[in-house]
Amino acid sequence: MSATRYTYLGPEGTFTEAALRTLPEAATRELIPMVSVPAALDAVRHGDAAAALVPIENSVEGGVTATLDELASGEPLMIYREVVLPIAFALLVRPGTALTDIKTVTGHPVAQPQVRNWLRAHLPNALWESAASNADGARLVQEGRFDAAFAGEFAAATYGLEALVTEIHDAENAETRFVLVGRPARPAAPTGADKTSVVVWLGEDHPGALLELLQEFAVRGVNLMLIQSRPTGAGIGNYCFAVDAEGHISDRRVGEALMGLRRISPKVRFLGSYPRAGVTPQDVRPLRAGTSDGEFMDAADWLARSQDGRI
């Protein structure tokens, strides 16, 4: 395995590359752009890279399905950290292009809902066609295949383009979350401001099946930060659920919730426990009464004493 190589969703000039370069270790790694999320993750699976950074959630569009599906299938991988990046688009064009010249535009499919209102107001007749990434859209503009692309302003220099309009976003404070993914290993020690990610498969379909999964978290005071259904490919009505929960697998409440899931679900895939981006222990909401590690340990001690007749 190349311990000095990180892959990311390319080509050069993507928001993913910008997010990766915020990590201190990126300065000492060889950063390799890949054509797709599966390609970036497969490089890790095959030992060609130590880790990959890929987008997993957007504050406007929700979960990035290509990443969620890839982490739920294939050889297991684990998330080791996350990066949250503010997102604003620039309209990149070839030098000399005016707004009235633009008849075709491109960008990543996740970008379109974030600029839809701007497009409707300023380029109502422009034809949209999706690209593999925002930076790939910039490359296609460079090649003359489209008139304009929505991408990060920083991508303009890479592709010899200019930013005709900047700071484009329909939703204020839009953000995308990225995750650094590697091969499975022991999670890092808890920080007090952690997140745990899993994929859970429903068992027999019956009324309340999803509620039963959620109750494993609720009764232990574990807050859920994301839950998204994804088809398993086994036919209509067969779903698994990507779940992000507050806390670390070593926290008693989280560990017991995961054990509860494993008892009632035919399959649970642990995707990792890792620090929350931009969150300190002081930012985390206080635990509900009865859900701290100490209270779980007291309850276990009471049960052991009761079993031994030491009541």
Side-chain angles (χ1 to χ4, degrees):
M1 177 184 293
S2 175
T4 61
R5 181 178 296 168
Y6 281 4
T7 58
Y8 66 91
L9 176 61
E12 294 181 11
T14 58
F15 285 108
T16 309
E17 182 188 10
L20 179 55
R21 291 189 181 278
T22 68
L23 299 179
E25 62 266 36
T28 60
R29 301 295 192 274
E30 181 184 6
L31 308 183
I32 308 296
M34 306 298 285
V35 298
S36 65
V37 168
L41 297 179
D42 279 344
V44 179
R45 290 186 171 112
H46 299 155
D48 297 325
L53 194 85
V54 291
I56 196 169
E57 182 184 5
N58 178 267
S59 61
V60 176
E61 276 291 275
V64 178
T65 57
T67 300
L68 294 174
D69 291 347
E70 189 67 21
L71 291 177
S73 61
E75 186 181 342
L77 295 169
M78 272 182 58
I79 299 171
Y80 288 94
R81 64 191 308 174
E82 65 177 11
V83 177
V84 177
L85 190 72
I87 301 296
F89 294 92
L91 188 68
L92 304 187
V93 299
R94 292 182 295 278
T97 302
L99 199 63
T100 53
D101 299 328
I102 297 173
K103 302 297 186 291
T104 57
V105 295
T106 187
H108 191 275
V110 174
Q112 187 179 19
Q114 301 180 65
V115 299
R116 185 183 293 123
N117 293 337
W118 190 94
L119 267 174
R120 186 183 298 118
H122 297 90
L123 293 170
N125 298 316
L127 177 66
W128 170 282
E129 186 174 329
S130 294
S133 68
N134 296 312
D136 192 54
R139 179 185 62 81
L140 296 174
V141 173
Q142 180 190 46
E143 295 175 355
R145 295 172 59 181
F146 293 91
D147 298 324
F150 287 99
E153 185 177 359
F154 48 79
T158 301
Y159 296 97
L161 304 177
E162 61 183 31
L164 187 61
V165 185
T166 61
E167 292 298 316
I168 300 172
H169 44 69
D170 290 349
E172 293 290 336
N173 304 315
E175 297 176 318
T176 295
R177 182 166 69 98
F178 303 84
V179 288
L180 188 69
V181 179
R183 294 183 66 82
R186 181 180 292 276
T191 66
D194 302 291
K195 179 182 294 183
T196 292
S197 298
V198 295
V199 180
V200 187
W201 278 254
L202 278 182
E204 178 187 356
D205 187 24
H206 61 272
L210 177 57
L211 177 61
E212 291 172 3
L213 297 181
L214 298 180
Q215 284 177 331
E216 295 296 331
F217 294 104
V219 298
R220 295 173 177 88
V222 178
N223 184 49
L224 298 187
M225 309 177 72
L226 177 144
I227 178 166
Q228 179 159 338
S229 63
R230 296 298 304 148
T232 64
I236 297 295
N238 289 277
Y239 288 90
C240 61
F241 294 87
V243 177
D244 287 346
E246 283 185 335
H248 193 279
I249 191 172
S250 65
D251 297 334
R252 292 295 185 98
R253 65 189 185 283
V254 177
E256 287 203 9
L258 298 185
M259 286 193 294
L261 289 179
R262 186 63 186 85
R263 288 196 302 269
I264 65 175
S265 170
K267 183 179 178 181
V268 179
R269 174 169 284 194
F270 174 64
L271 296 181
S273 289
Y274 47 93
R276 294 169 58 186
V279 179
T280 68
Q282 290 72 33
D283 300 323
V284 177
R285 77 187 72 201
L287 294 178
R288 196 180 74 196
T291 63
S292 70
D293 278 6
E295 288 163 319
F296 271 94
M297 294 172 64
D298 286 345
D301 182 63
W302 171 85
L303 180 63
R305 287 186 287 104
S306 298
Q307 290 171 329
D308 290 343
R310 296 182 285 116
I311 58 176

